[in-house]
Amino acid sequence: MTNYNPIPIYDDIYWDLTTESCHTLLIAPSGAGKTMFLSYLAGMILKRGHNLFIIDAKNTSFRATFQSSGVRTASTPDEILCLLTDLVESMTHDYDTIFSSNSVQLDDNFATHQLPAQVLIFDEVLSALDSGDKKQKVEMERLLKLLALKGRMAGYIIVLTSQRLLATDLPKTVTEQCQTRYVMGANVSEELFHLATGSYKKNLGTSYKGAVGKGYVVTPKNGLTYF
Ligand SMILES: Nc1ncnc2c1ncn2[C@@H]1O[C@H](COP(=O)(O)OP(=O)(O)OP(=O)(O)O)[C@@H](O)[C@H]1O
Ligand SMILES: [Mg+2]
Protein backbone atom coordinates (compact mmCIF):
# COMPACT_ATOMS: atom_id res chain seq x y z
CA MET A 1 0.00 0.00 0.00
CA THR A 2 1.27 3.44 -0.91
CA ASN A 3 0.94 6.06 1.81
CA TYR A 4 0.89 9.71 0.67
CA ASN A 5 0.99 11.25 4.16
CA PRO A 6 3.65 13.97 4.32
CA ILE A 7 6.90 12.79 5.87
CA PRO A 8 7.67 14.47 9.20
CA ILE A 9 10.98 16.34 9.29
CA TYR A 10 10.92 18.53 12.39
CA ASP A 11 8.18 20.34 14.29
CA ASP A 12 5.70 21.57 11.67
CA ILE A 13 8.03 20.90 8.74
CA TYR A 14 6.90 18.03 6.52
CA TRP A 15 8.06 16.65 3.20
CA ASP A 16 4.94 16.34 1.05
CA LEU A 17 5.78 14.43 -2.13
CA THR A 18 2.58 15.57 -3.84
CA THR A 19 3.33 19.31 -3.73
CA GLU A 20 5.25 21.75 -5.94
CA SER A 21 8.03 21.92 -3.35
CA CYS A 22 8.82 18.18 -3.44
CA HIS A 23 12.23 18.53 -5.14
CA THR A 24 14.82 19.08 -2.43
CA LEU A 25 18.35 20.45 -2.20
CA LEU A 26 20.48 19.88 0.90
CA ILE A 27 23.67 21.90 1.24
CA ALA A 28 26.14 21.28 4.05
CA PRO A 29 29.88 21.13 4.57
CA SER A 30 31.57 17.78 5.07
CA GLY A 31 30.55 15.98 8.26
CA ALA A 32 27.42 18.09 8.90
CA GLY A 33 25.11 15.09 8.59
CA LYS A 34 23.93 15.03 4.96
CA THR A 35 24.15 11.29 4.48
CA MET A 36 22.63 10.57 7.89
CA PHE A 37 19.65 12.80 7.02
CA LEU A 38 19.30 11.12 3.61
CA SER A 39 19.20 7.72 5.31
CA TYR A 40 16.15 8.87 7.28
CA LEU A 41 14.43 10.18 4.13
CA ALA A 42 15.30 6.97 2.26
CA GLY A 43 13.88 4.80 5.03
CA MET A 44 10.65 6.82 5.09
CA ILE A 45 10.26 6.58 1.30
CA LEU A 46 10.41 2.79 1.52
CA LYS A 47 8.12 2.70 4.56
CA ARG A 48 5.53 4.76 2.66
CA GLY A 49 5.59 2.25 -0.19
CA HIS A 50 7.29 4.42 -2.81
CA ASN A 51 10.13 3.44 -5.14
CA LEU A 52 13.60 4.58 -4.16
CA PHE A 53 16.76 5.07 -6.24
CA ILE A 54 20.08 6.06 -4.75
CA ILE A 55 23.11 7.69 -6.32
CA ASP A 56 26.06 7.78 -3.96
CA ALA A 57 28.93 9.33 -5.83
CA LYS A 58 31.31 8.56 -2.96
CA ASN A 59 30.27 4.88 -2.84
CA THR A 60 29.92 4.77 0.94
CA SER A 61 28.06 2.43 3.28
CA PHE A 62 24.94 4.48 2.48
CA ARG A 63 24.86 2.82 -0.93
CA ALA A 64 25.76 -0.61 0.39
CA THR A 65 23.03 -0.52 3.06
CA PHE A 66 20.21 0.29 0.67
CA GLN A 67 21.58 -1.89 -2.12
CA SER A 68 21.39 -4.86 0.18
CA SER A 69 17.70 -4.02 0.77
CA GLY A 70 17.05 -4.33 -2.96
CA VAL A 71 17.18 -0.62 -3.85
CA ARG A 72 18.71 0.22 -7.22
CA THR A 73 21.88 2.24 -6.64
CA ALA A 74 24.66 3.83 -8.70
CA SER A 75 28.12 5.25 -8.04
CA THR A 76 30.31 5.27 -11.16
CA PRO A 77 29.62 7.73 -14.01
CA ASP A 78 28.40 4.86 -16.24
CA GLU A 79 26.04 3.54 -13.56
CA ILE A 80 24.76 7.04 -12.81
CA LEU A 81 24.06 7.75 -16.49
CA CYS A 82 22.33 4.42 -16.87
CA LEU A 83 20.08 5.05 -13.86
CA LEU A 84 19.24 8.63 -14.88
CA THR A 85 18.49 7.53 -18.44
CA ASP A 86 16.14 4.79 -17.22
CA LEU A 87 14.33 7.20 -14.90
CA VAL A 88 13.83 9.77 -17.68
CA GLU A 89 12.63 7.06 -20.06
CA SER A 90 10.16 5.69 -17.57
CA MET A 91 8.98 9.23 -16.72
CA THR A 92 8.40 9.94 -20.42
CA HIS A 93 6.53 6.67 -20.75
CA ASP A 94 4.28 7.57 -17.77
CA TYR A 95 3.44 10.93 -19.34
CA ASP A 96 2.67 9.34 -22.69
CA THR A 97 0.46 6.62 -21.23
CA ILE A 98 -1.12 8.11 -18.09
CA PHE A 99 -0.94 11.88 -18.06
CA SER A 100 -1.50 12.82 -21.70
CA SER A 101 -5.06 11.59 -22.17
CA ASN A 102 -7.97 14.01 -22.50
CA SER A 103 -9.40 12.88 -19.18
CA VAL A 104 -6.44 14.27 -17.20
CA GLN A 105 -7.57 16.94 -14.73
CA LEU A 106 -5.55 20.01 -13.85
CA ASP A 107 -4.74 18.75 -10.34
CA ASP A 108 -3.94 15.20 -11.48
CA ASN A 109 -0.74 13.67 -10.25
CA PHE A 110 0.75 10.29 -9.39
CA ALA A 111 -1.15 10.22 -6.10
CA THR A 112 -4.57 10.77 -7.67
CA HIS A 113 -3.73 7.76 -9.88
CA GLN A 114 -2.68 5.71 -6.82
CA LEU A 115 0.85 5.38 -8.22
CA PRO A 116 3.95 5.32 -6.02
CA ALA A 117 6.47 8.14 -6.25
CA GLN A 118 9.85 7.42 -7.86
CA VAL A 119 12.27 9.18 -5.55
CA LEU A 120 15.89 9.70 -6.55
CA ILE A 121 18.21 10.47 -3.66
CA PHE A 122 21.44 11.81 -5.10
CA ASP A 123 24.20 12.26 -2.51
CA GLU A 124 27.13 14.52 -3.50
CA VAL A 125 25.79 15.59 -6.87
CA LEU A 126 28.79 17.81 -7.64
CA SER A 127 31.26 14.97 -7.02
CA ALA A 128 29.23 12.91 -9.46
CA LEU A 129 29.27 15.62 -12.13
CA ASP A 130 33.03 15.99 -11.69
CA SER A 131 33.67 12.24 -11.75
CA GLY A 132 32.75 11.81 -15.40
CA ASP A 133 34.36 13.17 -18.55
CA LYS A 134 33.00 16.32 -20.20
CA LYS A 135 30.49 14.44 -22.32
CA GLN A 136 29.19 12.42 -19.36
CA LYS A 137 28.84 15.56 -17.26
CA VAL A 138 26.79 17.30 -19.96
CA GLU A 139 24.53 14.26 -20.28
CA MET A 140 24.08 13.92 -16.48
CA GLU A 141 23.08 17.59 -16.32
CA ARG A 142 20.64 17.20 -19.22
CA LEU A 143 18.89 14.23 -17.58
CA LEU A 144 18.77 15.90 -14.16
CA LYS A 145 17.21 18.99 -15.75
CA LEU A 146 14.48 16.86 -17.33
CA LEU A 147 13.64 15.21 -14.01
CA ALA A 148 13.69 18.57 -12.20
CA LEU A 149 11.45 20.26 -14.77
CA LYS A 150 9.02 17.51 -15.63
CA GLY A 151 9.11 15.02 -12.80
CA ARG A 152 6.64 16.34 -10.24
CA MET A 153 3.31 15.39 -11.76
CA ALA A 154 4.30 11.78 -12.42
CA GLY A 155 6.03 11.57 -9.02
CA TYR A 156 9.65 11.61 -10.20
CA ILE A 157 11.18 13.48 -7.29
CA ILE A 158 14.81 14.43 -6.73
CA VAL A 159 16.72 15.02 -3.51
CA LEU A 160 20.22 16.40 -4.11
CA THR A 161 23.04 17.09 -1.69
CA SER A 162 26.18 19.08 -2.13
CA GLN A 163 28.96 20.52 0.00
CA ARG A 164 28.95 23.75 -1.94
CA LEU A 165 26.67 25.72 -4.16
CA LEU A 166 28.13 28.15 -6.64
CA ALA A 167 26.07 29.64 -9.40
CA THR A 168 28.12 27.74 -11.96
CA ASP A 169 28.22 24.37 -10.17
CA LEU A 170 24.74 23.11 -10.93
CA PRO A 171 22.48 24.07 -13.82
CA LYS A 172 20.25 26.91 -12.65
CA THR A 173 17.17 25.05 -13.85
CA VAL A 174 17.93 22.26 -11.40
CA THR A 175 18.55 24.42 -8.33
CA GLU A 176 15.54 26.64 -9.09
CA GLN A 177 13.24 23.63 -9.26
CA CYS A 178 14.36 22.49 -5.80
CA GLN A 179 11.90 24.56 -3.79
CA THR A 180 12.76 22.90 -0.50
CA ARG A 181 16.29 23.87 0.54
CA TYR A 182 18.19 22.73 3.58
CA VAL A 183 21.44 24.11 4.88
CA MET A 184 23.14 22.29 7.73
CA GLY A 185 26.25 22.55 9.83
CA ALA A 186 28.23 24.90 12.03
CA ASN A 187 30.70 26.12 9.44
CA VAL A 188 28.35 27.59 6.88
CA SER A 189 29.60 30.76 5.22
CA GLU A 190 27.40 33.81 4.78
CA GLU A 191 27.58 33.28 1.02
CA LEU A 192 26.58 29.60 1.14
CA PHE A 193 23.70 30.36 3.50
CA HIS A 194 22.46 33.10 1.20
CA LEU A 195 22.75 31.03 -1.97
CA ALA A 196 21.02 28.06 -0.35
CA THR A 197 18.20 29.83 1.45
CA GLY A 198 17.90 33.27 -0.14
CA SER A 199 18.22 34.72 3.38
CA TYR A 200 21.13 36.29 5.24
CA LYS A 201 22.85 34.39 8.01
CA LYS A 202 23.94 37.69 9.58
CA ASN A 203 20.24 38.49 10.19
CA LEU A 204 20.20 35.56 12.60
CA GLY A 205 23.13 37.19 14.38
CA THR A 206 24.53 35.18 17.25
CA SER A 207 21.42 32.99 17.26
CA TYR A 208 22.66 30.94 14.27
CA LYS A 209 22.23 27.38 15.49
CA GLY A 210 23.61 25.25 12.66
CA ALA A 211 25.56 22.18 13.81
CA VAL A 212 25.85 18.47 13.01
CA GLY A 213 22.33 17.35 12.14
CA LYS A 214 20.97 20.87 12.66
CA GLY A 215 20.32 23.77 10.35
CA TYR A 216 17.68 25.69 8.44
CA VAL A 217 15.10 24.81 5.87
CA VAL A 218 13.27 27.05 3.43
CA THR A 219 9.95 26.01 1.94
CA PRO A 220 7.41 28.13 0.03
CA LYS A 221 4.85 27.36 2.76
CA ASN A 222 6.92 27.96 5.93
CA GLY A 223 9.69 30.31 4.82
CA LEU A 224 12.96 30.01 6.76
CA THR A 225 12.70 27.63 9.73
CA TYR A 226 15.21 26.12 12.12
CA PHE A 227 15.31 22.35 12.24
N1 LIG B 1 21.34 14.13 13.32
C1 LIG B 1 22.49 13.74 13.86
N2 LIG B 1 22.61 13.65 15.20
C2 LIG B 1 23.78 13.24 15.75
N3 LIG B 1 24.88 12.92 15.06
C3 LIG B 1 24.82 12.99 13.74
C4 LIG B 1 23.62 13.42 13.06
N4 LIG B 1 23.86 13.41 11.74
C5 LIG B 1 25.13 13.00 11.59
N5 LIG B 1 25.72 12.75 12.78
C6 LIG B 1 27.12 12.31 13.01
O1 LIG B 1 28.00 13.03 12.16
C7 LIG B 1 28.77 12.15 11.36
C8 LIG B 1 28.82 12.68 9.93
O2 LIG B 1 27.54 12.55 9.35
P1 LIG B 1 27.34 12.30 7.81
O3 LIG B 1 28.26 11.26 7.31
O4 LIG B 1 25.89 12.11 7.60
O5 LIG B 1 27.80 13.74 7.26
P2 LIG B 1 27.99 14.18 5.74
O6 LIG B 1 27.54 15.61 5.67
O7 LIG B 1 27.34 13.22 4.83
O8 LIG B 1 29.56 14.16 5.59
P3 LIG B 1 30.46 13.96 4.25
O9 LIG B 1 30.48 15.28 3.56
O10 LIG B 1 31.77 13.56 4.80
O11 LIG B 1 29.81 12.90 3.43
C9 LIG B 1 28.10 10.78 11.44
O12 LIG B 1 29.04 9.77 11.55
C10 LIG B 1 27.29 10.84 12.70
O13 LIG B 1 27.97 10.24 13.75
MG1 LIG C 1 28.02 12.14 3.24
Side-chain angles (χ1 to χ4, degrees):
M1 266 297 277
T2 311
N3 177 336
Y4 300 97
N5 289 343
I7 293 167
I9 303 294
Y10 179 81
D11 209 5
D12 58 352
I13 302 292
Y14 289 84
W15 184 28
D16 187 341
L17 303 179
T18 66
T19 61
E20 278 288 295
S21 54
C22 57
H23 293 324
T24 301
L25 181 62
L26 165 60
I27 311 288
S30 186
K34 293 183 296 295
T35 307
M36 182 79 107
F37 184 53
L38 291 183
S39 304
Y40 166 71
L41 298 182
M44 290 303 285
I45 289 299
L46 294 177
K47 195 175 169 193
R48 293 279 199 265
H50 300 291
N51 291 327
L52 174 67
F53 304 88
I54 287 179
I55 300 178
D56 176 3
K58 294 207 293 197
N59 201 5
T60 64
S61 60
F62 176 52
R63 176 194 192 180
T65 304
F66 283 91
Q67 192 175 31
S68 64
S69 323
V71 172
R72 180 166 172 196
T73 63
S75 285
T76 66
D78 284 339
E79 288 170 347
I80 294 171
L81 277 171
C82 194
L83 175 51
L84 291 174
T85 304
D86 287 351
L87 281 172
V88 168
E89 266 179 21
S90 123
M91 175 180 80
T92 309
H93 175 264
D94 287 357
Y95 275 108
D96 291 347
T97 54
I98 304 164
F99 296 101
S100 70
S101 73
N102 294 332
S103 60
V104 167
Q105 308 288 312
L106 212 56
D107 57 354
D108 251 6
N109 63 28
F110 65 102
T112 57
H113 287 262
Q114 301 292 308
L115 294 167
Q118 315 290 333
V119 181
L120 171 66
I121 292 189
F122 196 152
D123 200 7
E124 304 287 357
V125 63
L126 295 180
S127 308
L129 291 175
D130 291 340
S131 69
D133 59 31
K134 180 81 187 120
K135 208 173 137 217
Q136 287 173 317
K137 179 177 173 164
V138 168
E139 181 62 1
M140 279 183 213
E141 289 183 344
R142 186 185 75 84
L143 294 163
L144 262 184
K145 274 191 223 170
L146 287 171
L147 290 170
L149 280 169
K150 294 194 183 169
R152 274 184 285 257
M153 191 188 203
Y156 290 73
I157 295 165
I158 55 174
V159 178
L160 310 175
T161 84
S162 168
Q163 296 187 9
R164 53 177 211 276
L165 178 72
L166 295 174
T168 49
D169 281 339
L170 266 177
K172 221 175 161 203
T173 340
V174 175
T175 40
E176 278 175 359
Q177 294 299 321
C178 292
Q179 291 188 23
T180 296
R181 307 267 188 92
Y182 291 90
V183 58
M184 285 166 72
N187 303 312
V188 171
S189 70
E190 179 67 41
E191 188 194 10
L192 186 67
F193 190 83
H194 185 223
L195 279 167
T197 64
S199 308
Y200 293 99
K201 189 181 165 192
K202 60 175 182 282
N203 291 348
L204 300 168
T206 50
S207 68
Y208 177 81
K209 291 182 283 188
V212 174
K214 299 173 184 173
Y216 294 82
V217 54
V218 176
T219 64
K221 191 168 157 230
N222 296 62
L224 184 71
T225 316
Y226 175 70
F227 84 98

